[in-house]
Amino acid sequence: MTYSGFQIRHLSFHGSEKEPAVVSFQFGLNVVYGASDTGKSYIVEAIDFMLGGKGPLPDIPQAKGYDRVLLAIVFDDGSETTLLRSMAGGQFQAFEGLHTSIPDGEGSTLSEIHNERDETNLSSFLLSKIGLAGKRIRKNAKDETQALSFRNLARLAIVNEEEIIQKRSPLSDGNYTANTANTSVFTMLLTGIDDIALLSRKSTSTEEQKRQAQIDLLDQLITDAQKRITTISGSRDELSDQEERLTRAMDNRAEQLAFTEERFKSISTKRRSIIQRLETNDDRYTEIATLLDRFKLLRDHYVSDYERLLGIRQAGSFFSVLDQEICPTCGALPDHHDPSAVCHGDVSVTVAAAEAEMQKIETRQTELATTIAALNAEAQSIQKSFPNLRKSLSELSSEIEKVVSPDLRKQRATYKELADKGANVREALGLFANLSDLTNRKATLERQNEGGSADATSNNRLTSTVVAPFAERVQSVLLEWGFPGVEHVHFDTNAKDLIVSGKARTSYGKGLRAITQSAFTISLLQYCADNDLPHPGIVVLDSPLLSYREPDGADDDLRETNLNANFYRYLLGLESDRQAIIVENMDPPSDVELGDRVIHFSGMADEDRFGLFPH
Amino acid sequence: MAALMSSAFNGSLETGMRAVFNLHAHFPRAVDLNRLTAMDYLIVRTSVLDGPADLHPPTPIMSPVTQVRRKTVQSAVALMMSRALVEQVVDESGILFQAGDNAEFFVSALQTPYLRQLYERAEWLASFFQDYTDDGFDNLMRNLLSNWVSEFQDEASGPA
């Protein structure tokens, strides 16, 4: 960073049928004084306009017919540029060299709007000449930055007759949203450091914000988890112990339970088999009863058949005794009759058959008797077995129902209780684990955020440390000028303004406000130049000595003092690399030798120069 | 051989024997083959007439008055006639049968318990049918037949 201020050489106005109105300046002090309405203030407006001011220029009658302005500038590197602009505003044409008449040719176009992406604009052009190209200044509390425009500097160097008496900080332009930016510009000029480092801070602030959002969410989850944990009785360690104990108890119970279940199973199996046997026996008993019924019926049959056969045999034997008569069927005599003829039937055969049948029946009867006896015996033994089986069954049933089942139920219930308790304990432990996990994550994110903000070294703020040497400079300037009663000047970083001997600058009358504003502006140039810090290199002030013309009451009246002479003498001592253009109504005091540094606008036709524009 | 195939039961001898008992109890009345055939069955199933207990246990039987039984009775009667136990009588209503000369001897000689019971039932049957005309007898048989049909159907489907 170095100081490389520029200087204005000529300001000229041109119109197609008009004689150019030219005013020229040199290094150091330049004074333009004279009557009202001679265009003195117009000069200040025009300089501002030609250094990028919005325009259009005020419509004064003297300017009628003039449509273009030229501003010839000499830069610190020796280069010379003349800027051409229409008095209505718009773009600039830049020409090499110093011109007081419209140059031929095209010149290069410079846009009147600062554009950080495209250098073909006046602001970038001027900034690069004074060494402040590409700078950024903080524009709001979120540390967002904007590109530095020459206009930010112009307002600290050029002060018109309204601004010079404004009851506000020299840093303010009346638009409070620009306050941060304006303060940043001032800080940058004093420190030589711009706010480009805030760029990284801006992008991390998005990440910081994301992390902060995560931190906030985690906070909520942590609060929820803590709430749930308060419903748990017992600390984390107590719960861990409990879990261990429960697990061991469960293992114990599991063994017992297995044993009881085994017992239950074996008794159940025995019982089932007894029930089956009872059923089988019952079925068999019923089957036997049915069989016996049938066999008894059969036995009756055998008996009755036997009786019949007995009858047949007897009948047969008596029949044989009787004499045979003539066969009525075939009419044959006994001797000639075939005894085996069917019409007779062989009685003896029948009797023989009867006897054979009877024998068979006897055999069958014996067999049947045996079978019946066996069945009876079986039925009896089955019957005998019932009481025992039923007794065993009831014993086993009662054992199961009264002992084993309840035991089993109890043990299962206990086991389940333990299992449930275990589950609860584990759930509670889970909550603790969850809480510590959330807390850890929050801590990690917080550390990341703190780390981020620790890296933001660029905290270029307007502190009293930064501004103290500047305030000292203002103090020495005011002392040199003989400002009444000045003892100590310091800069209030809150009000962003000077406190002169304990009094706020803005509480002075407008005359003293003008002086102190001028002191501020001039001190800024001096401070930067002397400390090799960038500055445009010029100050342009309209009516700094207002208190000599229109004082605001007795306190504001400096007419009895030497301040004006001291003022001019001070400015005469400016170094050659700096320029001051002072526009005043009052004549400079006669005891100050201004020589050719003074331009007089007489306002009268034949005396000196009439005014800015020819009469 | 025919002898081996024939059973002693319900052969000519046994059936004939029953016929002699019935005719003896009916004497001097003579009956035709129809009545004789019906009575051959009824004598061992007297309970259907609300008489004495049945002499034979209930068995699934075919219709009591079948052609087979009729033929058997016919042969049995012929056999009995050859020993003068049954006498054939012919009159205007057809062929009738009557107790023969030897029937008294025969019947009194047969003394096994079964035969004694047979004798009692024959006596009871004769007294039961004492005043029955042929039409009356036929009516009775018809009624019994319809009962028998359902009875036999039940029996036929029941356990052996």
Side-chain angles (χ1 to χ4, degrees):
Chain A
M1 286 275 188
T2 47
Y3 170 78
S4 26
F6 59 79
Q7 301 186 0
I8 298 169
R9 283 291 172 263
H10 313 288
L11 173 67
S12 53
F13 300 84
H14 307 269
S16 48
E17 275 149 51
K18 291 282 190 176
E19 233 186 274
V22 184
V23 63
S24 302
F25 306 100
Q26 53 182 295
F27 71 86
L29 175 64
N30 296 271
V31 183
V32 178
Y33 81 97
S36 322
D37 291 335
T38 49
K40 301 188 309 296
S41 298
Y42 198 79
I43 291 174
V44 177
E45 299 290 346
I47 291 174
D48 194 40
F49 177 74
M50 289 308 286
L51 291 178
K54 208 162 75 150
L57 281 175
D59 201 7
I60 57 171
Q62 303 95 308
K64 190 152 169 237
Y66 291 91
D67 58 8
R68 283 176 292 180
V69 191
L70 285 176
L71 186 72
I73 304 171
V74 165
F75 293 100
D76 180 77
D77 61 3
S79 61
E80 298 166 345
T81 304
T82 303
L83 300 167
L84 167 65
R85 195 184 192 189
S86 156
M87 278 161 69
Q91 292 177 329
F92 293 85
Q93 301 294 324
F95 298 89
E96 260 190 59
L98 303 172
H99 303 277
T100 51
S101 55
I102 309 286
D104 298 323
E106 273 295 319
S108 49
T109 309
L110 292 173
S111 162
E112 73 275 26
I113 311 284
H114 179 85
N115 185 340
E116 56 186 300
R117 278 180 282 271
D118 180 358
E119 284 177 342
T120 55
N121 60 80
L122 177 73
S123 170
S124 298
F125 171 70
L126 294 173
L127 285 175
S128 64
K129 286 292 185 181
I130 64 175
L132 287 177
K135 297 299 176 187
R136 297 191 70 81
I137 48 170
R138 198 168 75 97
K139 74 173 177 181
N140 60 25
K142 287 190 279 189
D143 283 354
E144 290 173 315
T145 58
Q146 67 190 44
L148 177 74
S149 153
F150 189 82
R151 297 311 303 159
N152 298 124
L153 304 174
R155 48 176 308 282
L156 289 173
I158 303 167
V159 188
N160 65 30
E161 62 183 335
E162 286 157 7
E163 290 162 350
I164 206 164
I165 56 170
Q166 281 290 11
K167 244 190 167 183
R168 58 172 186 240
S169 154
L171 303 183
S172 164
D173 61 10
N175 186 5
Y176 79 92
T177 58
N179 278 354
T180 309
N182 290 332
T183 308
S184 302
V185 174
F186 181 59
T187 313
M188 179 193 71
L189 290 175
L190 294 185
T191 62
I193 303 169
D194 75 325
D195 293 324
I196 200 162
L198 288 184
L199 250 180
S200 47
R201 192 176 153 84
K202 180 194 170 209
S203 56
T204 58
S205 85
T206 332
E207 297 210 359
E208 264 185 33
Q209 280 172 25
K210 268 203 286 193
R211 277 191 222 112
Q212 188 60 46
Q214 287 177 347
I215 289 171
D216 290 339
L217 176 64
L218 285 171
D219 262 336
Q220 267 184 47
L221 295 173
I222 286 171
T223 312
D224 286 344
Q226 280 168 340
K227 237 188 270 182
R228 276 184 288 159
I229 280 178
T230 58
T231 67
I232 299 171
S233 51
S235 73
R236 194 172 188 175
D237 291 328
E238 284 170 13
L239 286 171
S240 281
D241 285 340
Q242 207 179 357
E243 193 194 6
E244 251 189 75
R245 274 182 278 125
L246 282 171
T247 312
R248 261 178 294 153
M250 271 174 72
D251 288 339
N252 270 342
R253 296 286 172 162
E255 262 188 66
Q256 276 183 32
L257 188 60
F259 182 77
T260 308
E261 279 185 342
E262 195 51 53
R263 196 165 152 224
F264 180 83
K265 229 185 1 180
S266 87
I267 295 180
S268 281
T269 314
K270 261 191 241 165
R271 197 169 80 124
R272 241 198 315 268
S273 82
I274 288 182
I275 288 175
Q276 256 175 7
R277 268 179 69 190
L278 277 170
E279 263 181 48
T280 314
N281 286 1
D282 207 45
D283 288 344
R284 179 66 183 152
Y285 192 81
T286 313
E287 201 179 26
I288 290 176
T290 315
L291 281 172
L292 282 174
D293 278 346
R294 275 200 234 141
F295 287 158
K296 282 183 186 143
L297 198 61
L298 189 59
R299 191 171 53 185
D300 290 344
H301 271 270
Y302 285 165
V303 165
S304 110
D305 282 356
Y306 198 80
E307 292 291 308
R308 275 174 75 180
L309 288 166
L310 273 177
I312 290 169
R313 190 172 65 172
Q314 194 172 73
S317 70
F318 280 112
F319 184 86
S320 306
V321 164
L322 294 169
D323 290 329
Q324 236 176 314
E325 300 282 314
I326 295 168
C327 175
T329 310
C330 58
L333 276 171
D335 300 331
H336 300 120
H337 201 272
D338 179 4
S340 63
V342 164
C343 59
H344 291 294
D346 193 341
V347 172
S348 50
V349 170
T350 306
V351 170
E355 285 191 351
E357 201 70 35
M358 276 160 68
Q359 289 227 342
K360 270 196 240 165
I361 286 176
E362 278 167 22
T363 315
R364 289 202 202 117
Q365 273 178 324
T366 315
E367 282 172 10
L368 187 58
T370 315
T371 308
I372 286 177
L375 284 177
N376 274 329
E378 196 185 331
Q380 259 189 22
S381 86
I382 285 177
Q383 236 192 352
K384 269 205 220 131
S385 78
F386 277 137
N388 273 341
L389 284 177
R390 293 217 179 93
K391 182 156 155 256
S392 303
L393 177 62
S394 88
E395 276 171 11
L396 288 176
S397 293
S398 119
E399 194 182 342
I400 282 189
E401 276 155 37
K402 299 216 180 84
V403 179
V404 182
S405 241
D407 269 356
L408 192 59
R409 260 194 303 255
K410 244 192 295 175
Q411 284 182 12
R412 281 200 184 133
T414 312
Y415 190 83
K416 181 170 185 294
E417 242 184 77
L418 290 175
D420 286 344
K421 257 199 224 154
N424 284 341
V425 169
R426 251 172 274 122
E427 195 187 321
L429 283 173
L431 283 179
F432 278 108
N434 185 35
L435 177 63
S436 59
D437 173 57
L438 291 172
T439 318
N440 284 342
R441 279 158 66 184
K442 178 183 168 188
T444 309
L445 287 171
E446 278 178 336
R447 255 180 284 128
Q448 284 178 345
N449 266 3
E450 278 164 34
S453 58
D455 286 340
T457 49
S458 169
N459 224 339
N460 206 19
R461 312 257 178 180
L462 188 62
T463 60
S464 24
T465 325
V466 161
V467 90
F470 172 76
E472 268 176 40
R473 175 61 69 115
V474 176
Q475 182 179 294
S476 73
V477 164
L478 285 176
L479 273 168
E480 232 184 284
W481 293 353
F483 189 87
V486 66
E487 284 161 11
H488 186 66
V489 175
H490 87 267
F491 191 91
D492 181 355
T493 51
N494 285 327
K496 309 228 175 21
D497 207 344
L498 299 166
I499 313 278
V500 181
S501 299
K503 197 163 169 194
R505 191 188 76 83
T506 44
S507 65
Y508 285 111
K510 65 177 190 278
L512 295 181
R513 291 206 296 271
I515 285 285
T516 49
Q517 166 73 66
S518 308
F520 179 91
T521 311
I522 292 166
S523 301
L524 186 57
L525 167 61
Q526 298 284 65
Y527 180 87
C528 291
D530 288 343
N531 287 296
D532 213 10
L533 296 164
H535 189 279
I538 60 171
V539 300
V540 180
L541 301 169
D542 190 345
S543 309
L545 301 171
L546 186 65
S547 55
Y548 281 79
R549 182 163 44 105
E550 294 168 24
D552 241 359
D555 292 333
D556 208 40
D557 194 333
L558 294 176
R559 281 178 292 193
E560 299 301 309
T561 69
N562 253 349
L563 192 137
N564 55 349
N566 296 332
F567 175 78
Y568 283 117
R569 265 191 218 111
Y570 174 85
L571 287 173
L572 277 171
L574 277 179
E575 305 268 352
S576 60
D577 60 355
R578 304 156 206 203
Q579 188 180 46
I581 299 173
I582 308 295
V583 163
E584 254 298 330
N585 253 56
M586 303 297 295
D587 298 9
S590 46
D591 54 343
V592 179
E593 270 303 323
L594 293 173
D596 61 354
R597 293 180 175 282
V598 68
I599 304 168
H600 180 223
F601 287 176
S602 65
M604 291 187 289
D606 357 308
E607 213 186 296
D608 284 342
R609 182 171 172 165
F610 176 80
L612 178 56
F613 295 99
H615 184 59
Chain B
M1 286 189 278
L4 287 172
M5 282 180 346
S6 64
S7 166
F9 294 115
N10 298 321
S12 298
L13 179 60
E14 193 186 20
T15 311
M17 175 182 85
R18 287 201 289 263
V20 171
F21 272 100
N22 276 325
L23 289 175
H24 174 266
H26 273 78
F27 193 82
R29 193 166 169 187
V31 302
D32 66 7
L33 188 56
N34 282 339
R35 240 195 233 211
L36 205 53
T37 306
M39 288 196 296
D40 179 63
Y41 176 76
L42 287 171
I43 192 175
V44 295
R45 289 304 194 92
T46 39
S47 71
V48 305
L49 301 171
D50 297 327
D54 290 350
L55 198 55
H56 286 180
T59 43
I61 47 155
M62 305 302 264
S63 170
V65 192
T66 59
Q67 284 300 330
V68 172
R69 190 183 284 272
R70 195 183 160 83
K71 271 215 164 62
T72 311
V73 169
Q74 209 167 24
S75 318
V77 160
L79 183 62
M80 295 303 114
M81 283 197 305
S82 72
R83 294 290 198 271
L85 290 165
V86 171
E87 195 139 322
Q88 191 172 290
V89 174
V90 180
D91 78 359
E92 63 273 357
S93 54
I95 304 177
L96 301 173
F97 300 97
Q98 199 184 40
D101 294 335
N102 289 332
E104 180 65 44
F105 157 73
F106 190 64
V107 166
S108 26
L110 298 180
Q111 293 293 318
T112 72
Y114 174 80
L115 292 169
R116 284 291 95 201
Q117 289 189 14
L118 198 64
Y119 176 84
E120 278 165 31
R121 279 154 182 74
E123 291 289 309
W124 186 88
L125 266 184
S127 107
F128 182 85
F129 283 125
Q130 197 170 19
D131 298 322
Y132 268 74
T133 60
D134 281 348
D135 288 331
F137 189 87
D138 287 342
N139 265 340
L140 177 70
M141 289 320 291
R142 245 194 303 275
N143 287 336
L144 288 177
L145 185 61
S146 58
N147 291 343
W148 276 327
V149 169
S150 51
E151 187 191 308
F152 117 76
Q153 275 171 348
D154 289 344
E155 283 183 356
S157 58

